[in-house]
Amino acid sequence: MLFDVAVPEMPPAGVLVYEAPEGLPASSRVIVQVGKHSHTGFVLGQTEQNLPPEVEIKPVEGIIDAHCVLEPDIWDMALWAGKVSMCGASASLRAVLPEMFIEGERIKAPPIIHEEKTKFRERNCFNPFDAERVNFYLSELQKPERTLILFPTKESAKNFYEQLPENLKPEALLWPAKNIFTAWKQAHFKQVRIVIGSVGAVFAPLRPQRIIIEEEARPSYILPYRLNLSARTLAGRRALTLGAELITAGRIPSLKTYLRTKPKPPEIPDRKNIVLADMYHSHREQEHGIEGTIPLTFSLVKRTYRELSQGHNVLWILDRLGESSEVFCRHCGQSVKCPKCNNIMRSIHDGNMLRCHVCGTVIELPEKCGNCGDDFFVGKRPGIEALAKIAGKYYPKVKLYVKGAKKSHMKGLIISTQRGLELCSNVNISLVAWLDLDLELWRPEDSSRLNVYSMLYESYYRGRERDSDRKVLIQARKDGIKFAGYFAEGWEKFIREELQSRKNFMLPPFGFVVENVVEKRSKITRMEIVRFLEDSGLFVMDPGDDDSPLYISTDSLEAVRKILEPLSRYLKITVRSE
């Protein structure tokens, strides 16, 4: 018989056809030859491809296991994800399964579990107070059902695992632990009842009866390139297949969850703790050698001084790393590019070093411009390092938070990017100040407004107790001030209006956004690609920058896939459904 076989080690090859003995079930593994090498393949089923008679069909070289080696829900999720993300079954299986499994490590079939089939059901737990949500999860885990609980970061998953009572720890597994394949087998053979982890734990073969997703609206749930789906979406697919219970939770719901279940906000922020500061009435601070200014309003300076003088901690947020976002030659205007990937570099360490925005390469500031030979460089758009120097003129002790800093030592005025919100769980912050909200809103991604709104909510509630009095100060221009007004009214009105706007343009969750990055060495120009797509009837959103992706909004992935197929060698295609 002829079978379609997915080869995860060769995702560009897609699905290949091989001859094999009758009776091989879907998800069984075989050894197949691709080119001159042998690889592990997964049987998808009997082929429906109409192959011409002259095509030579190779036989499988061997059978690793003649039984289904994956739980039905894992198998269904992998194939569905490959279809929705347009990356195919081979690439999807590579993302879902541990490396040893793909390399052909033998493993027994999962144990047969006889349970009464239940219907899919969904509950919510939207509560802005973190401690109260944790107590709810702990009470749910005391119930006997197998439970998968997902967290947005590894650190938050580990923190929750460490809070488990002693009677639950022997039944629980922190995913992925030290060895992913060992953890995978523990869940596969049902040696644990509870799996706790971040994004990758959605692939744990536990056959859960209950799935809990903490902070389900967080963008960190989006899986990396190729799948580019949210772990929340994959968890929902598994729950639907299994007839399990899905509990979506957090401070604010995702658009998909709100559309399905219409939860109500349990609490609205206290208006007296929200300060809106108009940036048009601000003092513009500038650091020597950097073009651009940082606005410091009177409200920001005064309220920060008041909190610090009372011994409280203050967090300033500016989402620009380094001393400046870009460095260029003052004579010819040429930006310094990364020697490895040719992307823009930002200045760090008093401007003496440069770091690439994309690949992280670090180099010394060149002595001369590679374009004109001039030796005078200038920075553009000051970042948090420059802000720390400016703040030091107002306040004597300024802490600069970067990844890896010891959180227990962070006191006084702390300056950071969005990542600094992590500190609110461990450090008592009395004032969080957003120095430029419009900077966050100007991002080209269609999800930027929801992400910014979610972060505002996080800055107000993360780590807070009900009786605390944290304030949030927002510096913004006209659009940002209007947006921040939604924050004071609670998330329901904002989400309703955001959904209506997205529906008008067929954006997620009502449609899909297909992101197309034009390869650097493409033989056809960006303009030719845009013209081809528009002539094919697609609406193309072009931000205008030659390095930015082209976006297509659609409700039919199959139609777009057929149009993009001739251009696939020139484009890196990613589907966004969130």
Side-chain angles (χ1 to χ4, degrees):
M1 296 183 66
L2 301 183
F3 290 91
D4 287 330
V5 177
V7 186
E9 291 182 297
M10 305 287 291
V15 175
L16 306 176
V17 178
Y18 291 89
E19 185 180 4
E22 186 177 356
L24 280 180
S27 93
S28 58
R29 291 179 298 170
V30 293
I31 301 173
V32 295
Q33 185 177 10
V34 182
K36 297 181 180 180
H37 302 283
S38 296
H39 300 275
T40 300
F42 288 76
V43 175
L44 300 178
Q46 194 172 350
T47 187
E48 296 180 357
Q49 299 184 47
N50 295 319
L51 300 173
E54 64 271 14
V55 173
E56 181 183 356
I57 305 297
K58 294 180 180 180
V60 299
E61 294 183 336
I63 298 174
I64 300 174
D65 28 46
H67 54 263
C68 301
V69 293
L70 295 176
E71 294 279 9
D73 60 306
I74 292 282
W75 181 249
D76 169 84
M77 177 183 63
L79 299 188
W80 179 82
K83 182 178 180 180
V84 172
S85 64
M86 293 175 63
C87 71
S90 297
S92 180
L93 285 167
R94 188 171 184 84
V96 168
L97 299 173
E99 192 68 27
M100 295 294 289
F101 202 94
I102 292 173
E103 290 175 356
E105 182 85 14
R106 293 186 181 275
I107 191 167
K108 295 179 182 179
I112 298 173
I113 300 176
H114 298 287
E115 291 174 335
E116 184 178 346
K117 182 70 175 178
T118 56
K119 289 185 179 180
F120 168 78
R121 55 219 180 272
E122 185 170 359
R123 276 194 290 155
N124 301 134
C125 175
F126 291 106
N127 184 329
F129 296 100
D130 302 346
E132 295 179 13
R133 292 199 311 277
V134 167
N135 289 335
F136 168 76
Y137 305 150
L138 291 175
S139 67
E140 289 294 314
L141 292 183
Q142 294 289 353
K143 300 174 183 179
E145 289 84 6
R146 291 185 303 278
T147 302
L148 170 64
I149 178 165
L150 302 178
F151 287 83
T153 65
K154 291 180 180 179
E155 183 181 51
S156 55
K158 183 179 178 182
N159 288 341
F160 179 78
Y161 177 80
E162 291 173 349
Q163 295 181 61
L164 290 179
E166 291 304 316
N167 69 309
L168 290 180
K169 280 198 173 178
E171 301 180 84
L173 169 67
L174 179 62
W175 188 276
K178 293 183 179 179
N179 187 309
I180 180 65
F181 194 51
T182 300
W184 195 92
K185 287 190 289 187
Q186 283 183 271
H188 179 72
F189 293 120
K190 310 302 177 283
Q191 296 170 354
V192 293
R193 182 178 68 84
I194 302 165
V195 171
I196 300 165
S198 56
V199 181
V202 72
F203 304 134
L206 184 68
R207 198 188 294 184
Q209 297 162 293
R210 181 193 299 110
I211 301 176
I212 302 173
I213 312 173
E214 157 69 346
E215 292 190 76
E216 55 105 21
R218 286 281 288 270
S220 53
Y221 276 116
I222 303 293
L223 291 153
Y225 168 69
R226 285 202 180 279
L227 285 186
N228 208 56
L229 297 170
S230 171
R232 179 198 65 245
T233 299
L234 297 179
R237 177 74 183 190
R238 289 188 70 181
L240 189 64
T241 304
L242 290 165
E245 180 180 44
L246 180 68
I247 301 177
T248 49
R251 302 181 190 94
I252 178 173
S254 65
L255 297 179
K256 277 188 176 181
T257 296
Y258 184 84
L259 202 59
R260 285 197 313 270
T261 62
K262 301 293 189 298
K264 297 290 183 181
E267 175 164 316
I268 294 175
D270 191 337
R271 284 179 178 270
K272 70 179 178 62
N273 290 333
I274 301 171
V275 182
L276 304 182
D278 192 336
M279 286 169 55
Y280 286 113
H281 303 95
S282 62
H283 179 63
R284 300 281 170 165
E285 289 284 357
Q286 188 170 17
E287 184 64 15
H288 178 70
I290 302 175
E291 287 190 355
T293 60
I294 294 178
L296 300 180
T297 60
F298 177 73
S299 292
L300 173 71
V301 174
K302 180 181 178 181
R303 289 176 182 272
T304 298
Y305 178 79
R306 182 191 303 161
E307 297 295 331
L308 293 176
S309 64
Q310 294 174 2
H312 299 160
N313 300 314
V314 177
L315 174 62
W316 285 8
I317 296 177
L318 178 68
D319 208 32
R320 282 200 294 253
L321 285 168
E323 184 147 29
S324 66
S325 298
E326 184 179 348
V327 174
F328 68 99
C329 172
R330 188 64 178 268
H331 183 261
C332 68
Q334 181 73 38
S335 296
V336 181
K337 299 291 184 69
C338 175
K340 289 187 177 180
C341 66
N342 202 40
N343 281 291
I344 291 173
M345 307 191 82
R346 63 172 176 264
S347 64
I348 58 175
H349 301 161
D350 294 326
N352 297 318
M353 306 292 291
L354 305 179
R355 181 186 291 275
C356 176
H357 284 269
V358 178
C359 71
T361 297
V362 177
I363 63 172
E364 291 185 358
L365 181 70
E367 293 184 3
K368 294 183 178 181
C369 174
N371 183 52
C372 69
D374 196 81
D375 59 357
F376 188 44
F377 292 97
V378 177
K380 267 186 187 178
R381 298 181 297 276
I384 59 172
E385 289 185 22
L387 176 59
K389 294 178 181 178
I390 292 169
K393 301 173 185 176
Y394 290 83
Y395 317 103
K397 294 182 179 179
V398 177
K399 300 288 186 181
L400 189 65
Y401 171 71
V402 292
K403 185 180 179 182
K406 294 182 179 179
K407 297 178 182 178
S408 59
H409 294 171
M410 304 303 290
K411 300 292 181 182
L413 174 58
I414 306 163
I415 293 178
S416 178
T417 61
Q418 300 168 8
R419 291 190 68 102
L421 293 176
E422 299 171 2
L423 291 170
C424 295
S425 297
N426 302 283
V427 177
N428 185 17
I429 305 289
S430 65
L431 173 65
V432 178
W434 293 83
L435 267 67
D436 192 347
L437 187 67
D438 299 79
L439 177 65
E440 314 294 336
L441 294 171
W442 288 340
R443 299 182 187 279
E445 295 87 357
D446 59 89
S447 59
S448 60
R449 282 170 54 86
L450 180 63
N451 292 342
V452 172
Y453 194 88
S454 180
M455 285 188 298
L456 285 176
Y457 240 75
E458 183 178 357
S459 65
Y460 185 75
Y461 282 110
R462 182 164 182 164
R464 272 189 64 201
E465 301 292 341
R466 281 191 177 269
D467 57 353
S468 64
D469 196 31
R470 179 185 300 163
K471 296 176 177 60
V472 174
L473 185 147
I474 301 168
Q475 290 192 159
R477 300 168 184 82
K478 183 177 180 181
D479 291 341
I481 291 290
K482 181 181 177 181
F483 180 86
Y486 286 117
F487 174 51
E489 299 177 22
W491 45 256
E492 188 173 27
K493 179 181 179 182
F494 166 75
I495 288 181
R496 286 203 310 265
E497 293 190 10
E498 184 72 6
L499 281 170
Q500 185 58 52
S501 175
R502 286 165 174 260
K503 188 176 183 179
N504 294 338
F505 293 97
M506 286 307 297
L507 295 173
F510 301 99
F512 301 90
V513 172
V514 183
E515 180 182 286
N516 303 275
V517 176
V518 182
E519 298 289 356
K520 295 285 186 181
R521 299 179 182 179
S522 176
K523 292 183 179 179
I524 58 177
T525 66
R526 181 187 180 93
M527 187 59 67
E528 289 172 330
I529 291 174
V530 172
R531 191 178 300 117
F532 173 82
L533 296 175
E534 291 178 340
D535 290 344
S536 301
L538 297 178
F539 173 66
V540 182
M541 293 173 280
D542 184 358
D545 183 358
D546 288 344
D547 294 327
S548 62
L550 301 170
Y551 299 96
I552 299 168
S553 174
T554 181
D555 60 351
S556 172
L557 285 179
E558 184 61 24
V560 172
R561 186 189 64 78
K562 290 179 179 178
I563 294 172
L564 291 178
E565 198 167 7
L567 299 174
S568 58
R569 74 180 77 176
Y570 309 118
L571 299 172
K572 185 167 71 174
I573 302 170
T574 304
V575 178
R576 297 216 310 270
S577 61
E578 303 299 326

